[in-house]
Amino acid sequence: TPAAGRIEFDNVTFGFPGAETPVINSASFVAEPGKTTAIIGSTGAGKTVLLNLMLRLYDPQQGSVTIDGAPVDKLTRAQLAESISLVPQRPYLFGGTIATNLRFGRTDASDDELWEALRVAQGEDFVREKELGLDEPVSQGGTNVSGGQRQRLSIARALVAKPLVYLFDDSFSALDVATDARLRAALPDATEGATTIIVAQRVSTITEADQILVMEGGEIVGRGTHDELLTDNEVYQEIVRS
Ligand code: CTP
Ligand code: MG
């Protein structure tokens, strides 16, 4: 089982069966424990597929994805799920209660831990307003909570699991700018030591990232800090302007 959560992509190429062009083309990067790696790029650039390759929803045709040096295809899905928490682009809640949804990744979490995760995920207030609090029923698919609330519960669920690696797929763009800022201010303490990978649409979400990968058409066309990319990457400059 992985112990640190260092993710490495080495020359990874992946295409869907039958498609002519790969959706990920020769991608190489390292996401280090204790650091935040951000991924930005236009729609269809391959950001979600890149995250899904870490969880082995797909396996690459070329190259390797490793966690702490071990190829992810040598790990069981259970080992991967224990090490990596994904907050999907379209979060899913199952029928149950807020508490059962939050404990999905770690059933022995205490109520205090759930509240702490909700505080960080900016979901504490709306859960406190519910008559039954943590025991408030959630319908299948989460249809009785708003999209923004679903997002926050899904983020809280990942925090409760305390994984080595957090994958946030566009988890902050549905939040208003102020909530996004509060959440990101609280996140470093809550995820300390973990490998954090954030797919974002707004540049303001990722200016503090240790490393930003700029994706376009399945390729990593730029990498660096916000300041570095502002100086030397045209695609990034274009995203900043738009
Ligand atoms: N794709 C596909 N079949 C899938 C999923 C994705 O053919 N089951 C293709 C998409 O059409 C796209 C490419 O793979 O051309 C990359 O998709 P994705 O990684 O989902 O793009 P994102 O960068 O995540 O785009 P968005 O910002 O819209 O989420
Ligand atoms: Mg996506």
Side-chain angles (χ1 to χ4, degrees):
T1 313
R6 180 181 188 273
I7 302 267
E8 178 161 10
F9 274 58
D10 183 18
N11 211 16
V12 170
T13 295
F14 169 78
F16 287 98
E20 268 174 38
T21 46
V23 291
I24 300 294
N25 202 350
S26 307
S28 297
F29 69 92
V30 175
E32 297 282 0
K35 307 263 189 206
T36 298
T37 296
I39 305 172
I40 198 162
S42 55
T43 183
K47 305 179 297 294
T48 295
V49 171
L50 200 75
L51 298 190
N52 288 343
L53 284 164
M54 299 178 207
L55 290 166
R56 290 200 58 214
L57 267 67
Y58 323 116
D59 286 323
Q61 276 98 22
Q62 267 179 55
S64 66
V65 180
T66 56
I67 173 164
D68 297 338
V72 288
D73 59 4
K74 296 286 186 287
L75 298 171
T76 63
R77 305 248 159 169
Q79 282 174 321
L80 277 175
E82 235 173 69
S83 312
I84 304 178
S85 285
L86 167 71
V87 180
Q89 195 162 12
R90 277 180 228 86
Y92 185 79
L93 300 180
F94 50 83
T97 64
I98 289 178
T100 59
N101 268 280
L102 294 182
R103 286 199 177 95
F104 180 70
R106 196 161 57 84
T107 45
D108 65 352
S110 69
D111 281 7
D112 281 352
E113 289 176 288
L114 303 190
W115 283 116
E116 172 58 16
L118 285 167
R119 185 188 65 77
V120 174
Q122 309 301 311
E124 187 180 4
D125 290 353
F126 92 81
V127 177
R128 289 222 188 270
E129 279 162 19
K130 300 282 186 194
E131 203 182 327
L132 298 176
L134 291 171
D135 294 323
E136 188 76 15
V138 171
S139 58
Q140 174 89 26
T143 47
N144 64 334
V145 297
S146 77
Q149 291 169 344
R150 235 180 350 252
Q151 200 92 45
R152 293 171 210 208
L153 290 176
S154 184
I155 293 166
R157 173 195 280 164
L159 293 167
V160 168
K162 294 196 191 308
L164 295 170
V165 183
Y166 291 91
L167 307 179
F168 295 104
D169 192 353
D170 218 357
S171 307
F172 309 112
S173 16
L175 306 172
D176 61 84
V177 173
T179 307
D180 178 9
R182 276 200 303 277
L183 204 159
R184 281 180 300 99
L187 208 54
D189 272 349
T191 61
E192 209 191 340
T195 305
T196 304
I197 301 183
I198 297 180
V199 170
Q201 288 190 22
R202 275 199 293 260
V203 168
S204 66
T205 305
I206 58 163
T207 45
E208 323 255 282
D210 298 290
Q211 152 179 253
I212 300 169
L213 308 176
V214 184
M215 285 193 74
E216 191 181 56
E219 294 186 27
I220 299 172
V221 296
R223 71 186 72 211
T225 62
H226 173 72
D227 287 341
E228 287 163 356
L229 290 166
L230 266 188
T231 325
D232 69 13
N233 189 272
E234 280 178 26
V235 178
Y236 194 73
Q237 290 163 354
E238 183 58 40
I239 293 168
V240 171
R241 271 196 301 268
S242 63

